[in-house]
Amino acid sequence: MEQINGARDGSSFSPLEINGRQEHAILTDELDSVDKQRLFLGGERQLYPNSLSSREMESLTALCDTFLPSIDVSDATTNASLVAFYRTSASMAGTPQRVGGLISERLKHPKLWLMRLALWFLSTWIGSFILCGRASLSSQFPYFHSFPQMSQQKREEILLSWSLSYFYLLRMLFKTMKLLTFLVFFTEVNEKNENLSWKAIDYTGPDPEFITKTKEFKASTTIGNQRPNNEEQNACPHEEELFGPLNRGIINLDKPKDLVVDALSTFGIPASVLHSEKTVNCSSNPSLTIRCDAVVIGSGSGGGVVAGVLAKAGYKVVVIEKGNYHARKNLTLLEGPAMDQMYLSSGLIATDDMGVFVLAGSTVGGGSAINWSASIRTPQHVIKEWCNDHELELFDSKLYQEALDVVCEKMGVQSQVQEEGFNNAILRKGCQELGYPVNNIPRNSPPNHYCGWCCFGCKDGRKRGTTETWLVDLVNSGNGAILTGCEAIKVLHKRKKGRRDRNTATGVAFEFEHGGGKEIGFVESKVTIVACGALCTPKLLKRSGLKNVNIGENLHLHPVAMAWGYFPDSQVFDGWPEREKKSYEGGIMTAMSTVVAEFNKSGYGAVIQTPALHPGMFSVVMPWVSGKDIKHRMSRFSRTAHVFALARDKGSGTVNAPPDSISYEMEALDENNLKIGLEKSLRILAAAGAEDIGTHHFKGKGLHVKKANLDEFERFVKEESSRPLRELSSAICSAHQMGSCRMGVDSKQSVVNQMGETWEVEGLFVADTSVFPTALGVNPMVTVQAIAYCTSQSILQVLRRKKFFKYKEPASKQPVTVDSDQSPEENDQLCRCCQIRRRKLNRFMRFFPLQLQYHTNHLLRKSFR
Ligand SMILES: Cc1cc2nc3c(=O)[nH]c(=O)nc-3n(C[C@H](O)[C@H](O)[C@H](O)COP(=O)(O)OP(=O)(O)OC[C@H]3O[C@@H](n4cnc5c(N)ncnc54)[C@H](O)[C@@H]3O)c2cc1C
């Protein structure tokens, strides 16, 4: 499939390809292609195919140009890049075509058809009259105008009226079109990986230090020119730096299947291939079957922990991950490609009513690979609530405390910060001026980790997400592998003999791309762990036939409302705020205020933190009142700080499937907490010395703090923080999803028990944020890891009881028993001659259907004894 920002490459070397002396040759040969394919994906980007009709495109182009028109400012400034930025409209930059591609290929929203209908309507005069009202009328012939025929001024008025329309479908249309137009315009790059607006808005693009170091690294390894000639070395010394520490455990199923089987066998994981072409795509006849002790679906914060713990304990573990592996020097650090390739649905997920814009990771490492590194332990009042009100003793147990310690140690969590970035320094200063409490945020990165690009992956592995910790345990143990680009489509479960009450999980069916088509594979396992995150886990369970009514319910989103403050670099007093600091640089989260968190009272309030906003996301959240106004706001991008309030939501939603959709509603209390948080945020920004402050309300009002008197200031703060949140110019943001398969002590009220096992299917565990009993109120990574750690202890007990096979020898030395369901222990009992005969027969049996293979294997096993 063609992509807007480069193909989803995901190519990686199987372990066998980089073994022994051949390694250097292959690796260095490949480095050049890796350089072209992966290091700089942005420059190689292609468009998603655009299937919009010419009528739809006509309206879409008019809409994009209304948001971002061409404006001549050559009279007002001599700054050439600023002039060029103002002069370039969305259509001049090719934005509508790309947006058309996204609408055609990537956007998956239940109301997408309505948007396309609206585009078609707008291309006709009658449809424009229906959607735009009197504004589409003219006193001159032909009296009725379609949307593209109207003047820029009229179109701007119409968009503004939609943004505050009584009809929520018009508000949705406005928010969706604004999001797509801005996200594409400010993230699209040319072949040099540059965007025409970046210079004007003072954005460097990907971390310049990273780019320089990558170039130096390339030069030092003389990629494509000289090859390292030290024949003694078994591994390329730069492999880890270049491809990340998991490279040897990543298996790409687009490779020839025999290679995949061989690669899996090096981890002691048997697999079999069905060579029949006819039945390959039939879900009852997988083209590949893998056998292991445990299959973990999703490699994020929860899945990573379980996979690492089980593999380290000696069990054979297969991780199924629908995203690809991007690590260290494989990263682009470009906002567009990173969102496209590392975020769930390219970062384009919203609730049904477009009220909340939802971000989640979808790559090896899941959210932990792209998150903002805040690593906060489960607050005591939450532990108390989950223990007392929800009767979940787990949270009051020694095991849970130990789990918190273990995961924090593993991630290297610490609270020091050597140098604070722009946003956090402003939050801290504002709080100090006002006497609000402000604390350092513990992070899973070292004190000197001054990087604002971690939201696009960690360039040097110093942010210790699961790709740098638990999944490394998995790979280094030699007991596990990660299958990337594989989407689990169904958990397999069946009624076992002697069990009347519930089914037992037997593995998972997954879909993968092979040879340009889709194929089905099975993993057969003793235990199945679903860790797809709170948005995807309920969908998978529902698709797998689970009937528990709580699946998908109780979804919490930690809604966020933001305020902004502008700190011009010309207005620096006593070195504050430092002139050279930019809004997008530095540790993303280092300071936090609990001034309205209510930790000691109800426990339901809001914490105040700061976001990472690169130009795409910054433009999406900023209010739009006119084309000129947004360009002005964007020109102040690098010195506009953001502070947000994040509510611990009592309100909840539902993940529906099928059709896939998310509904969500805040409670009045949540909205009130956000408003109070917004009020405090405005005060913090002003106290820190902002020249202008404002919120994301559609009217886009700002206050020049220095010129306002106290009354005016108080009125402004009160007015802006008391408006209904549905009047924001963009959707509310959420990066934390939880609770959609909650843990409980009653199967009627919950989906999993305290062991993390589903009430409905034995041997089926859930280990992600979906098991949270309620919203958490702080950043969830540490909590989900701690719960997953406890769940993995329960799984270990189950596995021990099952006496499943454990390989005796280290993985690399094991005989490969492809197509065999015989354990190594059993194999050892055979004489050498029988072992060889058996292996030959197994190879021969590959050509028969799987069912037959298993029956024969069973018989063989008996006869060989
Ligand atoms: C931008 C951003 C910033 C954040 N910042 C922080 C922070 O600073 N601190 C903090 O504590 N939290 C933060 N979070 C939240 C945190 O990262 C998540 O809450 C956490 O990672 C969730 O863990 P999880 O195991 O539930 O799911 P995830 O980590 O989301 O992992 C789920 C994985 O499952 C995969 N998957 C889904 N469906 C399938 C399928 N059918 N088959 C195969 N694979 C599948 C996905 O691709 C994904 O990789 C942030 C999140 C985002 C998006």
Side-chain angles (χ1 to χ4, degrees):
M1 183 174 53
E2 288 180 314
Q3 305 256 331
I4 181 171
N5 288 318
R8 262 186 196 257
D9 178 357
S11 54
S12 55
F13 301 106
S14 73
L16 289 194
E17 284 172 286
I18 46 173
N19 255 345
R21 277 180 45 197
Q22 261 189 324
E23 264 178 356
H24 291 309
I26 295 170
L27 192 60
T28 45
D29 274 345
E30 292 273 5
L31 287 178
D32 198 38
S33 63
V34 165
D35 177 30
K36 287 199 197 94
Q37 292 167 15
R38 299 197 291 185
L39 293 181
F40 300 107
L41 272 170
E44 299 259 312
R45 79 209 184 286
Q46 294 171 319
L47 287 173
Y48 283 110
N50 178 0
S51 61
L52 263 55
S53 68
S54 55
R55 272 184 174 276
E56 287 170 321
M57 276 311 294
E58 205 188 324
S59 308
L60 180 62
T61 307
L63 279 165
C64 291
D65 276 348
T66 312
F67 281 117
L68 289 166
S70 172
I71 298 163
D72 184 7
V73 291
S74 52
D75 289 349
T77 175
T78 52
N79 181 330
S81 48
L82 213 51
V83 172
F85 166 54
Y86 270 83
R87 194 188 296 135
T88 309
S89 66
S91 59
M92 286 157 80
T95 304
Q97 274 300 332
R98 291 169 205 278
V99 173
L102 285 181
I103 294 174
S104 313
E105 291 287 316
R106 296 301 284 166
L107 211 58
K108 304 271 182 290
H109 192 276
K111 305 241 166 62
L112 182 62
W113 65 276
L114 265 176
M115 191 169 89
R116 291 193 69 162
L117 187 67
L119 288 178
W120 188 85
F121 261 49
L122 289 173
S123 69
T124 65
W125 66 262
I126 186 147
S128 300
F129 180 65
I130 294 170
L131 292 177
C132 312
R134 277 189 309 177
S136 68
L137 302 181
S138 156
S139 55
Q140 288 166 3
F141 186 76
Y143 308 118
F144 288 93
H145 285 162
S146 68
F147 186 76
Q149 289 169 336
M150 296 176 204
S151 66
Q152 167 73 13
Q153 195 192 336
K154 271 203 169 176
R155 282 188 273 130
E156 284 193 352
E157 282 167 17
I158 289 165
L159 289 199
L160 254 189
S161 72
W162 288 353
S163 74
L164 50 119
S165 171
Y166 182 75
F167 298 105
Y168 91 95
L169 286 176
L170 287 177
R171 289 202 308 274
M172 263 180 71
L173 183 62
F174 170 84
K175 286 180 182 175
T176 313
M177 292 315 307
K178 178 182 169 224
L179 184 147
L180 293 174
T181 306
F182 289 151
L183 202 57
V184 169
F185 184 87
F186 288 102
T187 62
E188 60 187 310
V189 287
N190 61 19
E191 51 296 329
K192 289 186 189 156
N193 286 329
E194 288 164 357
N195 175 292
L196 59 90
S197 71
W198 288 352
K199 202 165 173 203
I201 66 174
D202 195 17
Y203 179 63
T204 56
D207 183 0
E209 192 190 303
F210 171 74
I211 299 294
T212 316
K213 280 195 175 163
T214 306
K215 279 188 187 151
E216 282 170 12
F217 179 79
K218 249 182 80 177
S220 72
T221 51
T222 56
I223 294 163
N225 299 329
Q226 296 163 28
R227 288 173 184 174
N229 55 8
N230 183 356
E231 299 201 347
E232 304 296 315
Q233 278 179 292
N234 277 333
C236 171
H238 306 294
E239 187 202 330
E240 180 166 322
E241 194 173 345
L242 191 57
F243 301 115
L246 300 184
N247 186 49
R248 281 165 189 272
I250 300 283
I251 295 182
N252 175 10
L253 293 194
D254 207 11
K255 294 262 153 75
K257 296 232 188 62
D258 288 340
L259 266 185
V260 169
V261 170
D262 285 348
L264 281 164
S265 73
T266 63
F267 295 99
I269 297 171
S272 58
V273 178
L274 182 70
H275 288 279
S276 162
E277 291 294 319
K278 281 183 195 161
T279 49
V280 147
N281 284 325
C282 166
S283 61
S284 56
N285 276 309
S287 66
L288 178 73
T289 299
I290 302 165
R291 300 194 68 231
C292 59
D293 292 321
V295 59
V296 180
I297 309 159
S299 63
S301 302
V305 174
V306 178
V309 171
L310 299 188
K312 218 173 165 188
Y315 292 95
K316 299 294 171 190
V317 180
V318 170
V319 177
I320 303 278
E321 170 54 56
K322 78 171 170 186
N324 286 314
Y325 183 44
H326 307 274
R328 302 188 186 178
K329 292 201 162 42
N330 281 337
L331 297 166
T332 67
L333 298 191
L334 285 162
E335 188 180 10
M339 285 196 66
D340 187 41
Q341 296 172 30
M342 301 179 82
Y343 284 66
L344 198 60
S345 299
S346 302
L348 298 172
I349 303 177
T351 51
D352 291 354
D353 60 356
M354 282 295 291
V356 189
F357 177 53
V358 186
L359 287 173
S362 186
T363 177
V364 173
S368 77
I370 48 90
N371 77 18
W372 300 349
S373 76
S375 305
I376 304 174
R377 283 171 175 251
T378 321
Q380 208 46 47
H381 63 275
V382 177
I383 290 186
K384 218 165 135 191
E385 184 185 323
W386 289 355
C387 190
N388 296 344
D389 301 357
H390 295 263
E391 297 173 43
L392 292 164
E393 288 159 9
L394 169 73
F395 294 98
D396 201 22
S397 67
K398 256 188 173 174
L399 175 65
Y400 191 71
Q401 283 308 317
E402 180 196 307
L404 287 171
D405 293 342
V406 170
V407 301
C408 287
E409 197 186 324
K410 177 67 104 187
M411 289 195 282
V413 175
Q414 61 80 41
S415 302
Q416 300 305 309
V417 49
Q418 210 170 72
E419 186 184 356
E420 201 141 54
F422 186 70
N423 288 333
N424 285 280
I426 281 161
L427 169 58
R428 193 180 295 273
K429 169 104 172 160
C431 287
Q432 283 165 350
E433 294 289 327
L434 294 165
Y436 294 167
V438 59
N439 304 310
N440 283 8
I441 295 184
R443 295 180 294 155
N444 59 346
S445 53
N448 62 353
H449 192 68
Y450 190 81
C451 172
W453 283 266
C454 278
C455 44
F456 310 137
C458 182
K459 63 185 178 187
D460 51 20
R462 292 198 306 148
K463 182 183 83 171
R464 295 178 60 75
T466 55
T467 48
E468 303 288 337
T469 51
W470 300 100
L471 293 172
V472 177
D473 285 355
L474 168 93
V475 173
N476 288 352
S477 72
N479 287 323
I482 305 163
L483 309 187
T484 55
C486 295
E487 180 166 2
I489 50 174
K490 197 172 180 184
V491 173
L492 305 170
H493 51 98
K494 63 180 181 198
R495 190 63 51 100
K496 286 234 164 133
K497 265 189 197 164
R499 297 277 340 214
R500 288 222 189 122
D501 51 342
R502 57 180 187 157
N503 279 5
T504 303
T506 56
V508 65
F510 62 95
E511 203 174 54
F512 61 100
E513 288 203 10
H514 187 79
K518 294 245 179 200
E519 292 192 14
I520 304 290
F522 278 6
V523 181
E524 295 180 350
S525 58
K526 284 286 162 182
V527 287
T528 302
I529 300 99
V530 181
C532 301
L535 296 181
C536 299
T537 287
K539 286 189 214 166
L540 181 61
L541 296 188
K542 283 184 184 181
R543 261 189 263 139
S544 307
L546 272 75
K547 297 279 185 295
N548 185 320
V549 290
N550 299 295
I551 297 174
E553 299 296 324
N554 310 304
L555 173 77
H556 296 282
L557 292 177
H558 278 177
V560 154
M562 300 194 211
W564 57 267
Y566 176 54
F567 298 78
D569 49 13
S570 53
Q571 305 279 320
V572 173
F573 300 104
D574 290 339
W576 171 261
E578 289 133 287
R579 187 165 279 135
E580 65 283 359
K581 289 209 166 152
K582 315 272 187 225
S583 61
Y584 55 90
E585 288 174 345
I588 299 173
M589 280 190 166
T590 53
M592 162 172 116
S593 176
T594 51
V595 60
V596 287
E598 300 279 323
F599 281 178
N600 298 324
K601 294 179 188 159
S602 69
Y604 283 85
V607 291
I608 296 181
Q609 299 178 334
T610 64
L613 293 176
H614 289 259
M617 285 306 293
F618 181 97
S619 60
V620 165
V621 296
M622 277 312 243
W624 180 92
V625 290
S626 72
K628 193 168 184 179
D629 179 76
I630 192 69
K631 291 206 175 186
H632 175 61
R633 286 176 196 266
M634 287 308 295
S635 68
R636 310 198 307 183
F637 159 74
S638 70
R639 296 290 288 182
T640 301
H642 270 89
V643 170
F644 66 73
L646 176 150
R648 179 177 183 208
D649 44 339
K650 279 220 160 173
S652 66
T654 307
V655 181
N656 303 300
D660 292 357
S661 68
I662 307 165
S663 54
Y664 176 79
E665 224 171 294
M666 275 190 274
E667 280 193 4
L669 172 80
D670 306 329
E671 178 148 358
N672 198 42
N673 284 335
L674 282 179
K675 286 178 183 170
I676 300 171
L678 212 49
E679 182 220 311
K680 301 288 180 206
S681 301
L682 286 167
R683 292 185 188 284
I684 288 167
L685 288 158
E691 184 178 282
D692 277 343
I693 55 168
T695 63
H696 292 161
H697 187 260
F698 67 77
K699 283 195 177 155
K701 268 176 88 176
L703 180 81
H704 198 295
V705 182
K706 306 263 158 59
K707 287 185 188 156
N709 61 34
L710 195 60
D711 277 353
E712 286 165 335
F713 175 76
E714 287 298 330
R715 205 174 320 124
F716 177 83
V717 169
K718 208 166 167 202
E719 218 174 86
E720 288 300 304
S721 58
S722 58
R723 298 180 196 277
L725 291 174
R726 67 177 176 79
E727 290 184 3
L728 294 181
S729 181
S730 57
I732 280 180
C733 293
S734 157
H736 304 163
Q737 308 86 38
M738 67 219 103
S740 52
C741 292
R742 72 179 169 195
M743 185 181 276
V745 289
D746 178 0
S747 61
K748 293 203 176 76
Q749 303 288 327
S750 57
V751 178
V752 299
N753 60 24
Q754 299 199 59
M755 287 167 67
E757 191 177 28
T758 55
W759 292 109
E760 214 171 331
V761 176
E762 187 184 345
L764 173 61
F765 293 81
V766 178
D768 56 29
T769 48
S770 68
V771 303
F772 286 17
T774 66
L776 179 69
V778 296
N779 316 59
M781 178 170 54
V782 168
T783 300
V784 66
Q785 290 207 9
I787 297 177
Y789 181 83
C790 297
T791 300
S792 48
Q793 301 308 313
S794 305
I795 298 170
L796 280 177
Q797 282 179 18
V798 171
L799 281 174
R800 277 180 207 125
R801 277 204 302 274
K802 294 212 178 219
K803 284 194 206 145
F804 203 58
F805 64 82
K806 261 193 181 181
Y807 281 55
K808 278 180 182 166
E809 292 183 65
S812 55
K813 291 184 193 154
Q814 276 156 31
V816 179
T817 54
V818 175
D819 296 346
S820 165
D821 66 350
Q822 176 188 29
S823 73
E825 283 94 330
E826 284 173 322
N827 220 3
D828 289 347
Q829 289 161 17
L830 302 178
C831 69
R832 181 84 191 128
C833 175
C834 283
Q835 280 187 23
I836 293 169
R837 272 169 42 213
R838 186 187 163 122
R839 222 173 293 153
K840 276 187 185 161
L841 255 166
N842 279 335
R843 245 177 252 145
F844 171 71
M845 287 307 294
R846 272 188 190 180
F847 300 102
F848 292 91
L850 273 177
Q851 289 298 336
L852 188 59
Q853 288 181 41
Y854 288 132
H855 286 307
T856 324
N857 250 324
H858 193 63
L859 290 173
L860 280 175
R861 187 193 248 167
K862 285 187 175 163
S863 64
F864 276 119
R865 275 183 189 153

